[in-house]
Amino acid sequence: MRVLPLPRARGPVRWAAVVLGVVALSTALPDALAAGFDAQSLVLPTDPSALPAVQVLDLHYGDVLFEFYRDDPFDALIKLNAYRAQGHLTAHAEDAELLLGGLYLSLGQHLEAGRIFQQVLDQPRVPQSVRDRARFYLAKVWYQRGYHERAESIFAAMGSSLPPEMDAERRALLAQALLHQGKLEPAIALLSSWSAPSQWRGYAQFNLGVALVRAQRLEEGVTQLEAVGTLPTAGQETAALRDKANLALGYALLQTGQPARAQLALERVRLEGPLSTKALLGEGWALAALGQHEQALVPWLELQGRSLLDAAVQESYLAVPMAYAKLGADAQAVEQYEAALHAFAAERVRLDESIAALRKGQLMHTIVDHEGRDLEGWLWQIRKLPEVPESRYLVHLLASHEFQEALKNYRALLVMERNLAAWQTSLGAFDDLVAQRQRRFAEWLPAALAKLDGIQVDGLRQRQTVMRAALTRAEAERDGAALATASEHAVWEKLERMEATFTARPDDHDLLEARDKYRLLQGVMAWRLSSTMKARAAGISRDLNKTRGALEDTNSAWAHVAEAREQMPARLVDYRRRLDALQPRVAAARQQLLAMKAQQEQFLATLAVAELQLEQGRLATYEVQARFALAAIYDRATPRKQP
Amino acid sequence: MKPIPVLARMRSLLVAVSAVVFLAGTAVAAAQTEAPAPAPAAVAVLPAPPAFQALDTQVQDLKQEVIDLNRDLFNLEEELLFPANTQVAVFLSLDVSAYFALDSVQLRVDDKQVANYLYTEREIEALNRGGVQRLFLGNLKVGQHEIVAFFTGKGPHDRDYRRGATLTFPKGVGAKYIELRVSDRQRQLQPEFVIREWE
């Protein structure tokens, strides 16, 4: 049998392709979604160092890759584990280990992935560049899952072999991890010393500005933020960055009592951008702080035409009457405060209803129903919240890693529970199958034994050997008669009997003619046997070979049956043992999955309720403030009694 | 709509996070006015990360148990339904393809149709990247067998193309692995369809 070896690709090529391929797939979606973009417009990262496809040396490894490349990391992982246990992946042992780590990552099993990467990548023969990239992706996952300290330690300890683009992202993420932990000075040191590539420069400067302001180094921070806020606009990305910098700058200056500078920064924020409501609100406060209450009404009134779900809009409901009051227009102020109270009260009722719905656990069911079949994909991410009242308040929450990751866990538990439910059905069928095989084997065995006893393979083989020896002797002695057919034998024997008669009557002249005929016949017979001997010998030899082949097949079948007879009982016992062990494991795991799913649901509801309660609290505060202001106006308007 | 480059998305994310962190520490300067002081802009107060992490660790442990279970179940199913002594697996690989775009494959073993597979774009991409599809898994007796595969797709010059390949092979006592391979025959500027045995 032939084995056709395939050319082996260069080691680093395969390693890198595997690592990059897997981790890129596993990390791209969460990033993009958390950034608030529509998942349908996603593209996977086009890594400049991504390398050509892997050349497979083992069909089973190729099968794992096929599952993985068609976006089914779960099946890929199961097959990889199973094939490895079956001893199929020896030609790709190292690749398989890395792929395994990557697959665990893509299924959110970062603890197991971390363990595998640590084990594999610390081996000295793994190229430094591959090790660094794998660690980079691992640290990115830690970061996304909120393990900022772990992410920081990996990012900080990484070698310098990353491609420039990836290294820039590493520094940016490291700075973020530090900021999340409140490590402002190390973040400032990192960002200050970083000569970022042009496409990252604005972002690095923005983060530096934020860090400096938070570290009470206001003027330094303002300088950085002002630089970003006045960048020449070159497309949506820069415009969005400018808005963020100007907003941050404006509020920082407002907080430190510099309303004039704050107003300038806030005016630079685009009116149609996502940060425009906060900017309009801030600009109003800046003008109010400068005593320009009439001018402050312009941005605040602009806000009142926008959705009340926005915190800045809610705040404008208080700011507008405050400005009227400052301008002495008490009647309008009262009217506006009352409108605000009415709007806040209506919003609080909706919030109460939404919190009640969340506490009943309806949100997760609605999301699952809403997603329908899309839920099945293993790289599933929620794209849109279902259209229920509580969804309106959860947009911000949806962008958070905690909520997304918790949601992914919930969904993974749900899909795994379905997966085990399907296996449980199969296990029932397997159980029947094993029982049926046990019965059939018990019935088959006596008949098979009887048949086996009737087949004397050794005797047949012996007869074949004897015949082969006779052929060899006849060929050696050129004994044509030995290869004669049965009819020829009969003729030959007749001739021999005739010869005996002639020998017994040597002087009988009546037999002279018969004797001549006998000699002629004997000669013809001898010539025929002699002249056809080679052909006959070849034919017989061919038949004997066929017989030998048939005997070998018989022997093999016999051995097969004998083996089955010996091994089948043990195999059936083994199947039974494994089935008996698996059935309770599956049942227990299903119970645990259901319990954990409930816990996860509870956790998600807690997150969502906390978000809504925050909103509720803010509205309550606004209501108190509105009532207080209203009372103050009424109090002012009431004529005081003369003592 | 033109997709936004991932780099830009990543940077936007970083800035978004920064902005939230920043605003969390920035009170509105309302206190400087005589108006009632409104609350600062909203920042979600989430349960502390350790709560998520503790639950996440438990979820991961349970998922690991399910993954291990699936491995054991997969192995049991294969051994039970396709024992090694009768098992035959047919795989399909692509090493192309300038001259052939695969649409479907029909597989016959001993004149019986055992597989008829229509490929999606994603599956073709998976095959082009080095994936190998296990097209058929079945059982065959010891002895000689014939496998015939028909490949349908678009050939050179975007013409409909249907080609067959055959192999007669001996099935012994052990498992048998067969590969259907589509590759380019550069000299003839034609695709090549090969069936071969693996040990």
Side-chain angles (χ1 to χ4, degrees):
Chain A
M1 191 181 296
R2 285 181 314 143
V3 176
L4 303 172
L6 295 169
R8 184 175 255 278
R10 285 174 297 130
V13 172
R14 290 180 294 115
W15 287 75
V18 168
V19 174
L20 293 177
V22 175
V23 291
L25 189 64
S26 67
T27 54
L29 289 173
D31 276 359
L33 201 78
F37 292 92
D38 179 2
Q40 285 179 326
S41 68
L42 291 179
V43 289
L44 289 177
T46 48
D47 191 317
S49 56
L51 293 158
V54 182
Q55 182 77 62
V56 297
L57 304 172
D58 185 309
L59 292 172
H60 291 86
Y61 184 69
D63 185 28
V64 173
L65 286 180
F66 180 73
E67 298 294 352
F68 166 61
Y69 288 146
R70 70 167 175 177
D71 290 353
D72 196 343
F74 185 74
D75 273 7
L77 179 63
I78 301 307
K79 282 189 170 180
L80 199 155
N81 274 327
Y83 289 158
R84 211 160 57 144
Q86 292 170 15
H88 280 309
L89 305 180
T90 48
H92 287 282
E94 292 161 347
D95 297 341
E97 198 67 10
L98 273 179
L99 180 60
L100 190 66
L103 288 170
Y104 275 123
L105 260 192
S106 64
L107 291 174
Q109 294 295 92
H110 48 91
L111 294 173
E112 185 64 12
R115 191 189 62 74
I116 291 173
F117 278 130
Q118 202 62 45
Q119 224 171 44
V120 175
L121 299 178
D122 283 343
Q123 292 167 13
R125 60 200 161 75
V126 178
Q128 180 68 31
S129 57
V130 174
R131 190 154 59 230
D132 278 351
R133 281 170 214 180
R135 282 180 175 160
F136 168 78
Y137 285 116
L138 183 62
K140 207 166 152 179
V141 171
W142 287 128
Y143 173 78
Q144 286 167 349
R145 293 235 157 190
Y147 295 78
H148 298 122
E149 204 174 333
R150 285 192 200 189
E152 180 207 329
S153 70
I154 301 176
F155 279 137
M158 208 169 277
S160 55
S161 68
L162 289 176
E165 184 56 37
M166 213 181 260
D167 189 54
E169 194 178 340
R170 175 190 73 86
R171 285 172 190 264
L173 285 169
L174 175 57
Q176 284 301 131
L178 289 166
L179 284 171
H180 270 293
Q181 297 171 79
K183 296 178 179 176
L184 298 176
E185 288 307 327
I188 291 168
L190 173 74
L191 291 165
S192 305
S193 63
W194 180 25
S195 172
S198 60
Q199 66 270 40
W200 283 92
R201 201 166 298 141
Y203 297 91
Q205 211 167 7
F206 174 85
N207 285 341
L208 178 59
V210 169
L212 285 164
V213 171
R214 289 184 61 202
Q216 310 298 322
R217 290 160 65 177
L218 184 73
E219 274 313 311
E220 291 171 79
V222 165
T223 307
Q224 297 295 336
L225 290 172
E226 230 159 23
V228 181
T230 52
L231 280 173
T233 310
Q236 287 292 315
E237 193 183 337
T238 315
L241 181 62
R242 271 178 53 131
D243 283 355
K244 286 180 172 97
N246 284 317
L247 185 74
L249 180 62
Y251 276 86
L253 290 167
L254 266 178
Q255 194 181 26
T256 52
Q258 302 180 57
R261 287 174 76 190
Q263 192 213 344
L264 285 176
L266 291 166
E267 265 181 352
R268 289 196 293 263
V269 178
R270 290 170 301 164
L271 260 180
E272 72 284 8
L275 301 179
S276 60
T277 54
K278 286 188 182 72
L280 286 167
L281 181 71
E283 193 185 347
W285 285 123
L287 290 163
L290 291 167
Q292 300 172 15
H293 297 291
E294 199 171 340
Q295 285 88 335
L297 276 171
V298 177
W300 285 342
L301 285 169
E302 159 68 24
L303 279 176
Q304 288 204 333
R306 302 192 181 191
S307 165
L308 192 61
L309 287 173
D310 190 309
V313 176
Q314 291 168 3
E315 198 175 315
S316 76
Y317 273 71
L318 293 183
V320 167
M322 183 213 74
Y324 280 129
K326 283 281 171 194
L327 292 167
D330 284 354
Q332 279 162 295
V334 167
E335 191 184 322
Q336 288 288 330
Y337 275 128
E338 281 174 350
L341 281 170
H342 182 71
F344 293 158
E347 197 61 26
R348 285 184 70 192
V349 169
R350 283 196 287 270
L351 277 165
D352 284 340
E353 288 167 0
S354 295
I355 288 173
L358 284 169
R359 286 200 167 124
K360 279 185 198 160
Q362 284 170 358
L363 179 66
M364 293 317 300
H365 296 294
T366 316
I367 285 177
V368 170
D369 291 344
H370 180 67
E371 290 291 315
R373 286 184 58 200
D374 290 345
L375 197 69
E376 295 301 325
W378 278 95
L379 296 175
W380 171 84
Q381 284 271 340
I382 187 168
R383 289 186 286 270
K384 267 194 275 181
L385 282 167
E387 287 179 12
V388 289
E390 54 268 35
S391 294
R392 304 188 306 149
Y393 306 102
L394 300 176
V395 178
H396 175 73
L397 191 62
L398 183 63
S400 74
H401 282 312
E402 283 87 353
F403 191 79
Q404 281 289 346
E405 295 302 316
L407 204 54
K408 273 161 72 179
N409 276 347
Y410 174 83
R411 175 252 171 220
L413 294 168
L414 186 74
V415 176
M416 283 183 163
E417 205 281 318
R418 288 179 188 171
N419 162 276
L420 287 189
W423 272 118
Q424 210 162 26
T425 311
S426 296
L427 279 176
F430 296 164
D431 199 279
D432 290 347
L433 191 68
V434 171
Q436 197 183 16
R437 280 191 191 170
Q438 278 171 325
R439 268 197 312 276
R440 280 176 56 190
F441 182 73
E443 288 164 12
W444 166 85
L445 189 60
L449 286 178
K451 272 191 183 168
L452 278 178
D453 288 344
I455 300 170
Q456 300 298 330
V457 179
D458 286 344
L460 292 170
R461 196 180 285 139
Q462 209 169 353
R463 279 175 63 190
Q464 202 262 353
T465 309
V466 169
M467 289 166 81
R468 170 64 70 187
L471 175 66
T472 309
R473 186 200 58 77
E475 281 183 306
E477 295 174 4
R478 300 198 58 76
D479 179 5
L483 306 183
T485 62
S487 60
E488 286 168 338
H489 261 296
V491 172
W492 193 255
E493 279 170 11
K494 210 179 262 182
L495 286 170
E496 281 182 337
R497 281 200 300 278
M498 287 165 81
E499 190 186 8
T501 309
F502 295 138
T503 311
R505 295 158 67 181
D507 302 325
D508 190 343
H509 293 284
D510 292 342
L511 295 177
L512 274 176
E513 195 180 341
R515 200 186 295 272
D516 287 343
K517 281 184 181 171
Y518 157 75
R519 282 200 196 100
L520 180 65
L521 281 171
Q522 194 194 32
V524 169
M525 196 67 196
W527 180 83
R528 185 189 289 172
L529 288 175
S530 165
S531 65
T532 59
M533 184 175 166
K534 268 194 178 172
R536 286 166 191 259
I540 293 168
S541 179
R542 201 167 43 244
D543 289 345
L544 280 172
N545 283 344
K546 278 187 192 164
T547 313
R548 190 181 60 194
L551 270 173
E552 277 171 7
D553 286 350
T554 308
N555 198 41
S556 155
W558 194 94
H560 189 53
V561 173
E563 185 195 333
R565 178 188 159 195
E566 277 178 21
Q567 293 184 355
M568 188 56 89
R571 206 175 293 157
L572 288 170
V573 167
D574 179 54
Y575 289 150
R576 171 61 54 207
R577 180 188 57 76
R578 286 160 70 185
L579 270 173
D580 289 348
L582 280 168
Q583 278 164 331
R585 271 178 73 193
V586 170
R590 279 192 72 187
Q591 287 303 315
Q592 283 176 291
L593 283 166
L594 289 172
M596 190 62 80
K597 188 162 75 74
Q599 273 191 56
Q600 198 69 34
E601 197 170 337
Q602 179 68 38
F603 179 74
L604 282 161
T606 308
L607 286 179
V609 167
E611 175 82 5
L612 266 60
Q613 281 175 334
L614 187 80
E615 184 81 7
Q616 225 175 14
R618 187 171 47 235
L619 282 175
T621 308
Y622 288 163
E623 274 189 70
V624 170
Q625 288 170 346
R627 287 187 198 288
F628 176 77
L630 208 51
I633 292 171
Y634 284 137
D635 187 46
R636 216 168 40 234
T638 308
R640 296 187 184 278
K641 286 181 183 171
Q642 295 297 322
Chain B
M1 189 179 136
K2 192 180 168 192
I4 297 159
V6 167
L7 178 67
R9 288 201 300 270
M10 186 62 216
R11 288 196 294 258
S12 300
L13 164 65
L14 296 181
V15 171
V17 173
S18 287
V20 169
V21 170
F22 179 81
L23 290 172
T26 309
V28 174
Q32 296 165 3
T33 72
E34 291 172 19
V43 177
V45 178
L46 301 175
F52 166 73
Q53 290 173 7
L55 196 56
D56 185 43
T57 305
Q58 287 179 48
V59 171
Q60 288 205 38
D61 288 346
L62 183 55
K63 279 164 72 184
Q64 189 58 46
E65 162 66 7
V66 177
I67 288 166
D68 291 346
L69 251 177
N70 265 270
R71 177 202 57 210
D72 295 345
L73 288 160
F74 180 91
N75 276 336
L76 177 67
E77 183 182 48
E78 278 214 347
E79 285 176 43
L80 205 54
L81 303 182
F82 311 102
N85 52 352
T86 55
Q87 189 185 101
V88 173
V90 179
F91 295 83
L92 181 133
S93 69
L94 291 184
D95 187 15
V96 266
S97 160
Y99 309 120
F100 185 66
L102 182 66
D103 280 341
S104 68
V105 171
Q106 191 188 79
L107 189 68
R108 301 180 76 84
V109 175
D110 297 333
D111 214 24
K112 258 189 216 160
Q113 184 173 305
V114 294
N116 197 350
Y117 201 90
L118 189 63
Y119 290 90
T120 62
E121 213 169 290
R122 192 182 288 275
E123 286 167 339
I124 293 296
E125 173 64 17
L127 291 168
N128 281 328
R129 291 175 70 186
V132 179
Q133 182 202 11
R134 191 167 73 173
L135 181 65
F136 167 69
L137 184 65
N139 296 302
L140 285 179
K141 283 184 191 169
V142 171
Q144 288 293 116
H145 298 275
E146 185 191 52
I147 183 168
V148 182
F150 294 102
F151 304 86
T152 308
K154 293 280 181 197
H157 310 296
D158 206 28
R159 285 189 191 149
D160 288 343
Y161 204 91
R162 183 174 158 85
R163 282 280 299 276
T166 307
L167 175 79
T168 302
F169 64 93
K171 170 72 182 75
V173 175
K176 184 82 178 175
Y177 305 122
I178 290 169
E179 182 188 10
L180 312 179
R181 189 169 181 78
V182 185
S183 56
D184 280 346
R185 195 187 288 167
Q186 295 290 348
R187 281 188 187 169
Q188 278 90 0
L189 304 178
Q190 290 286 328
E192 185 176 32
F193 303 87
V194 177
I195 306 183
R196 58 187 181 176
E197 299 170 40
W198 283 60
E199 265 185 350

